[in-house]
Amino acid sequence: MDKKLVYFLCTGNSCRSQMADGFLRTLGSDKYEVKSAGLEAHGLNPRAVVVMKEAAVDISEHTSDVIDPEILQKADYIITLCGHANDNCPVVRNDKAERWHWGFDDPAKATGTEIEIMAKFCEVRDSIKNRIEQFVKEGR
């Protein structure tokens, strides 16, 4: 069975798309090839690494990448995780790809104490995990 290619897109490929990438690799690597990228490469957010490690998913070796047009062309699923990426993603000429938008708050924009900021990262992480679990269960 050929694996379906899932391409997660976000603004900077630093938090949300990295979390989605990590969860789908962990929960669905038997069915899916997983890639992630951003409109820009902001670098991997260290707080995202910490909260994912707490969820037993290691994304510490992930890289923050810019959208690759070739991967866009090959993708079976193109999933944006923030409104900015959804609105500004390059036009895709790929008739086979299903394009979805799963909007999540940007935890990197959270303010407050370190505890409050980390709580926001955990909230977004858990929301992404729930959505990935649903995606895998649906078995598209």
Side-chain angles (χ1 to χ4, degrees), residues 35-54:
K35 305 277 186 191
S36 66
L39 297 171
E40 305 163 355
H42 292 173
L44 185 58
N45 187 299
R47 289 180 175 126
V49 174
V50 169
V51 298
M52 289 299 286
K53 189 171 194 161
E54 290 172 1

Side-chain angles (χ1 to χ4, degrees):
M1 176 178 112
D2 287 338
K3 292 183 181 184
K4 299 279 188 178
L5 175 58
V6 179
Y7 205 18
F8 290 112
L9 305 178
C10 218
T11 301
N13 192 220
S14 65
C15 294
R16 293 164 286 185
S17 53
Q18 295 286 353
M19 291 179 189
D21 183 318
F23 279 127
L24 189 54
R25 285 177 194 251
T26 299
L27 300 171
S29 64
D30 57 326
K31 297 179 189 171
Y32 305 102
E33 179 182 355
V34 185
K35 305 277 186 191
S36 66
L39 297 171
E40 305 163 355
H42 292 173
L44 185 58
N45 187 299
R47 289 180 175 126
V49 174
V50 169
V51 298
M52 289 299 286
K53 189 171 194 161
E54 290 172 1
V57 177
D58 183 7
I59 63 168
S60 64
E61 298 298 317
H62 286 202
T63 58
S64 180
D65 302 311
V66 175
I67 295 171
D68 181 331
E70 288 184 32
I71 296 173
L72 276 176
Q73 293 304 315
K74 294 189 300 186
D76 296 291
Y77 300 99
I78 299 167
I79 303 172
T80 54
L81 300 165
C82 67
H84 184 255
N86 188 46
D87 295 342
N88 295 286
C89 182
V91 174
V92 179
R93 305 268 185 254
N94 176 345
D95 293 336
K96 75 171 184 165
E98 289 188 44
R99 188 166 171 177
W100 296 339
H101 175 64
W102 301 345
F104 296 100
D105 291 341
D106 186 354
K109 291 186 177 177
T111 59
T113 66
E114 186 62 19
I115 291 170
E116 292 167 331
I117 293 169
M118 291 304 285
K120 186 63 174 180
F121 270 82
C122 290
E123 174 189 320
V124 171
R125 174 204 62 203
D126 294 346
S127 294
I128 291 171
K129 181 181 182 189
N130 288 339
R131 187 62 188 91
I132 295 294
E133 287 173 337
Q134 180 183 346
F135 178 80
V136 171
K137 184 179 177 184
E138 290 170 0
R140 297 191 164 263

